[in-house]
Amino acid sequence: MKPDADKQMLRLLFWETTIKCNLSCAHCRRVEDDEQVITDMSTEQSKAMIDQLADVGRKQGFMPILVFSGGEPLCRGDLFEVIEYAGRKGLILALATNGTLIDEKVAKKVKQSGLQRVSISLDGATSEVHNKLRQQQGSFEAATQGINNLRDNEVPFQINVTMTKYNADQLEEIYELAKSLGSVALHIFMLVPVGCGRQFKEDDMLSAAEYEKMMLKIADLDAQGQIQVKVTCGPHYERVIRESGLAEKRSKPMPRSGHPAMSGHPGGVAKTTKGCLAGLGVIFVGHQGDVFPCGYLPINCGNVTTQTIEEIWCQSEDLAKMRDTGKLEGKCGVCGYKEVCGGCRARAYAATGNYMAEEPFCEYIPKKMKAEN
């Protein structure tokens, strides 16, 4: 890899294995329908991409985490063939699923496949809330049964939840549910209004002030140390926990978390030190092979069927720009926390069409701006 890329190690690749899904969640990033499944990368193309990723891992000295996502990855017929191939290449493997298709047979295949972690999405502590967001009756019950099947087969799993006004008042209940189910971690995703999520009205989304309060609640839960808690797409969490004095009390990876390189899940590793990792340690590969800085930022940086991952990672002008905090605009550009936060580039893009604009869901006023006023 090029010397100037050495400081930007590729730690995590999310792969949209298929566009197909058995649910139609209100906040999903997916905009295409199941009919587009014919454009999913073939088995051969998928294995070629895995070869590329393993090559990057060998050159940088450690293997990235490869997250099999979707759509719903369990809707892909050759999924376990591809997972086993990736395992033979030495990659660290995780599966992100809605959990509804994990019966006893699938749970056993997951156990045997070499996956180190499975993340299950639960968007409420009750079926009423979860099913409303997932837009399918019985999805909560099916997901929790899937979790039980994983636990019975001793597969490490985590709970993912996307925070909106619909479920914000259930945060503590979701935390307790994750503990009671035996989850090794709880990952809290702050909604990014892209894809189907654009249908959320402003009144349905947390305001900047509510985001701030939510971050403090999450920090308090994390400080309990009973289960690992991680925030995704909420980069200002780094500032909040430092200002609140809770940074030193953040949770550590649990002993039963699976592979030692995992520090939470599919969404981060131990060396993660910056809030927004879009293009900086993380990339997203769509079901047709297009590469994006993250799953919520529709800036096409290349395609793995015509370029290598290494070429895209090292040569993309958009990725290089996102890595340069000196190019951040608005209050993000003058913020003293920009090296550990950086603002959500996807949320900035959704609000303004400019991915280097300031984070629109942050109420913090940088000290430099206060001084000027």
Side-chain angles (χ1 to χ4, degrees):
M1 298 183 74
K2 291 184 177 181
D4 61 357
D6 288 345
K7 293 181 180 180
Q8 307 301 340
M9 301 297 190
L10 179 54
R11 304 182 182 281
L12 182 62
L13 187 150
F14 283 92
W15 174 32
E16 184 183 43
T17 57
T18 178
I19 199 64
K20 189 174 182 180
C21 188
N22 61 320
L23 300 180
S24 56
C25 306
H27 51 281
C28 182
R29 61 164 296 280
R30 186 179 75 141
V31 293
E32 298 168 274
D33 57 35
D34 286 354
E35 292 180 1
Q36 293 302 310
V37 69
I38 59 172
T39 62
D40 288 351
M41 284 198 295
S42 67
T43 303
E44 292 71 25
Q45 288 174 322
S46 301
K47 289 181 178 179
M49 180 196 71
I50 288 168
D51 289 339
Q52 295 174 23
L53 185 60
D55 184 55
V56 170
R58 285 189 293 270
K59 290 181 179 180
Q60 68 182 14
F62 66 89
M63 287 297 175
I65 299 172
L66 172 58
V67 183
F68 295 85
S69 184
E72 171 48 55
L74 291 171
C75 288
R76 182 172 174 130
D78 64 353
L79 179 68
F80 286 101
E81 176 187 347
V82 178
I83 288 174
E84 289 165 6
Y85 182 82
R88 292 196 298 272
K89 294 295 179 177
L91 294 168
I92 304 163
L93 310 178
L95 175 69
T97 170
N98 61 44
T100 61
L101 300 179
I102 303 179
D103 56 19
E104 180 62 25
K105 182 179 179 181
V106 171
K108 289 184 181 300
K109 291 180 73 172
V110 169
K111 176 67 175 179
Q112 297 165 0
S113 69
L115 287 162
Q116 281 94 28
R117 175 72 64 85
V118 176
S119 63
I120 306 285
S121 298
L122 286 180
D123 289 320
T126 60
S127 60
E128 179 184 7
V129 174
H130 175 88
N131 292 346
K132 179 177 181 179
L133 284 166
R134 293 280 154 175
Q135 299 189 143
Q136 181 169 310
Q137 291 301 311
S139 59
F140 179 81
E141 292 77 10
T144 51
Q145 183 56 56
I147 288 171
N148 291 335
N149 291 334
L150 290 175
R151 188 183 60 235
D152 291 346
N153 283 275
E154 299 182 335
V155 176
F157 66 90
Q158 72 179 54
I159 302 299
N160 288 355
V161 55
T162 299
M163 280 286 122
T164 68
K165 279 193 176 180
Y166 291 120
N167 58 6
D169 63 343
Q170 286 197 336
L171 176 62
E172 290 84 357
E173 294 175 67
I174 294 170
Y175 175 81
E176 293 299 329
L177 177 61
K179 288 197 303 177
S180 68
L181 289 171
S183 177
V184 299
L186 173 64
H187 282 232
I188 301 166
F189 287 67
M190 309 308 289
L191 179 68
V192 180
V194 297
C196 297
R198 289 178 178 171
Q199 69 183 293
F200 277 80
K201 299 176 182 177
E202 187 173 341
D203 290 344
D204 297 326
M205 297 176 62
L206 296 173
S207 66
E210 288 169 328
Y211 262 69
E212 197 84 0
K213 292 177 181 177
M214 180 61 67
M215 297 294 180
L216 288 170
K217 289 181 180 179
I218 293 170
D220 285 337
L221 291 176
D222 191 22
Q224 294 181 22
Q226 298 181 38
I227 183 174
Q228 189 193 37
V229 179
K230 184 178 182 296
V231 177
T232 298
C233 300
H236 26 319
Y237 182 69
E238 288 297 321
R239 168 185 56 78
V240 171
I241 62 174
R242 292 173 190 224
E243 291 192 324
S244 65
L246 292 169
E248 298 303 316
K249 297 182 180 180
R250 74 167 75 206
S251 59
K252 302 296 188 295
M254 306 299 286
R256 50 185 175 153
S257 63
H259 194 284
M262 305 281 285
S263 99
H265 95 98
V269 291
K271 293 185 179 180
T272 293
T273 57
K274 188 171 182 290
C276 182
L277 294 174
L280 188 114
V282 173
I283 53 173
F284 180 93
V285 178
H287 72 109
Q288 298 180 75
D290 293 320
V291 176
F292 304 94
C294 78
Y296 303 107
L297 182 49
I299 300 296
N300 195 321
C301 300
N303 189 290
V304 297
T305 65
T306 57
Q307 300 168 269
T308 67
I309 291 174
E310 180 180 354
E311 287 172 345
I312 297 168
W313 182 249
C314 296
Q315 298 174 14
S316 167
E317 293 181 3
D318 287 304
L319 294 180
K321 187 175 182 180
M322 288 178 210
R323 293 167 187 153
D324 186 354
T325 56
K327 288 184 168 61
L328 288 171
E329 301 174 14
K331 66 180 182 180
C332 284
V334 298
C335 184
Y337 289 100
K338 67 181 180 181
E339 298 298 334
V340 296
C341 171
C344 176
R345 298 300 95 219
R347 205 174 285 120
Y349 182 81
T352 68
N354 173 11
Y355 59 73
M356 297 305 286
E358 66 182 45
E359 158 74 65
F361 285 87
C362 176
E363 68 167 8
Y364 179 72
I365 305 300
K367 293 180 179 178
K368 185 174 181 179
M369 292 180 69
K370 289 181 179 178
E372 291 175 351
N373 293 329

